[in-house]
Amino acid sequence: MKLRLAAAIALLLITASAPRAQQSPADVPEYGPAKGTLVIVGGGTLTGSGISEKFIELAGGPEKTFVIVPTAGGNRNAQGELIPYDETRIVAPWVRLGLKHVRMLHTHDPKIADSEEFAGVLRTADAVWFNGGRQWNIVDSYANTLTYREFHKVLERGGVIGGSSAGATIQGDYLVRGAISGSEVVMTPEPNHERGFKFLRRSAIDQHINTRNRWDDIIPVVKKWPELLGIGLSEATAIVVKGDRFEVIGAWKVAVHDNTRLYQPWEKPYFVLSAGDVYNMKTRKVEKYGTGARGRGGDGGGL
């Protein structure tokens, strides 16, 4: 009896002292979040594209808690006056999609964004959506604040972050079109507007590439920062990111600026993916080809 007891104690001690299994380096994402999901949208009208519905589904359904951030729409007008945001109007499109628990989160003041009272609402959020506008407004309000850190914690809890147009670009590492002077400036001269929120690391994200003829615009970005993966999104088109993989959904095309790929002298230094295609950002390989895009860019996928 004593021998069996001693053997059991020894076994327990060995088990307790054994190293716990850890993720191997090969399993740790280099680009997307280790937990959670990103929905990164190229702007335009999303009605009929299925993108908004997919965002809600990924969050766990309309009964979950959603936060909408309209800050890219601007903090001040041309006269320098603060722009007011009406919460009812901001959340109305989402209420029409059936959301039961949705609220707006906005401030122009990074000091407020750094407060517990303001940022604390994100601790119960299952999903966050960034509206379109100009991405540098989001940086001015939330960069290096408690709110910024809570955005990342939404993902750490397995939640979802989505956004369209400026709300797509802010999710990248390098902030494409971050210049205050205008959206036609692809690489900002302003150091404080060069970095996005890095939900998708090692990336530079552009939007509206089909309707505004921006297909080639991030070529110089990837040339200057070759460690980046460039992603150009058509309107009503999105990538759904889990770890180091993304799938294209929606109406049209995604341009992938992969400078590790061999291109012929007559080719542009990017290739194009369509709906259903799955791309591995770590291995830089297309893992699956889907059914192709629907409709024309920005038209919601209608024929």
Side-chain angles (χ1 to χ4, degrees), residues 255-270:
V256 179
H257 295 249
D258 174 6
N259 65 0
T260 68
R261 189 183 180 106
L262 179 65
Y263 299 94
Q264 297 299 327
W266 57 85
E267 290 182 312
K268 296 289 182 68
Y270 56 84

Side-chain angles (χ1 to χ4, degrees), residues 79-99:
Q79 291 72 44
E81 302 164 335
L82 288 176
I83 297 174
Y85 286 90
D86 176 53
E87 182 170 26
T88 301
R89 183 183 64 83
I90 294 299
V91 305
W94 298 98
V95 172
R96 287 194 292 270
L97 288 170
L99 299 194

Side-chain angles (χ1 to χ4, degrees), residues 29 144 285 298:
N144 302 313
K285 292 180 179 179

Side-chain angles (χ1 to χ4, degrees), residues 39-46 49 51 129 132 163-169 171 205-212 214 231-239 249-251 253-254 297-298:
V39 180
I40 306 176
V41 190
T45 301
L46 303 188
S49 69
I51 293 171
W129 182 272
S164 184
S165 190
T169 298
Q171 297 188 54
I205 302 169
D206 203 5
Q207 6 79 7
H208 302 283
I209 65 168
N210 56 329
T211 57
R212 302 181 188 179
R214 293 176 171 179
I231 300 172
L233 299 160
S234 298
E235 292 190 357
T237 306
I239 58 172
I249 64 172
K253 306 285 186 179
V254 173

Side-chain angles (χ1 to χ4, degrees), residues 4 45 62-63 65 69 84 98 114 155 166 178 194 209 239 254 276 282:
R4 284 202 296 269
T45 301
E63 297 291 340
T65 302
V69 182
D114 203 34
L155 293 171
E194 283 189 323
I209 65 168
I239 58 172
V254 173
K282 182 184 285 189

Side-chain angles (χ1 to χ4, degrees), residues 174-246:
Y174 178 78
L175 195 71
V176 177
R177 304 184 194 278
I180 292 177
S181 58
S183 61
E184 70 280 359
V185 180
V186 177
M187 293 189 289
T188 178
E190 304 146 19
N192 58 317
H193 292 141
E194 283 189 323
R195 311 316 304 184
F197 281 2
K198 299 184 181 180
F199 304 139
L200 186 61
R201 292 159 289 170
R202 298 176 62 185
S203 72
I205 302 169
D206 203 5
Q207 6 79 7
H208 302 283
I209 65 168
N210 56 329
T211 57
R212 302 181 188 179
N213 196 26
R214 293 176 171 179
W215 295 91
D216 297 354
D217 284 10
I218 55 175
I219 291 174
V221 176
V222 177
K223 185 175 181 180
K224 184 173 182 179
W225 288 281
E227 72 278 9
L228 297 178
L229 178 70
I231 300 172
L233 299 160
S234 298
E235 292 190 357
T237 306
I239 58 172
V240 176
V241 181
K242 292 178 180 288
D244 283 326
R245 292 175 175 83
F246 70 71

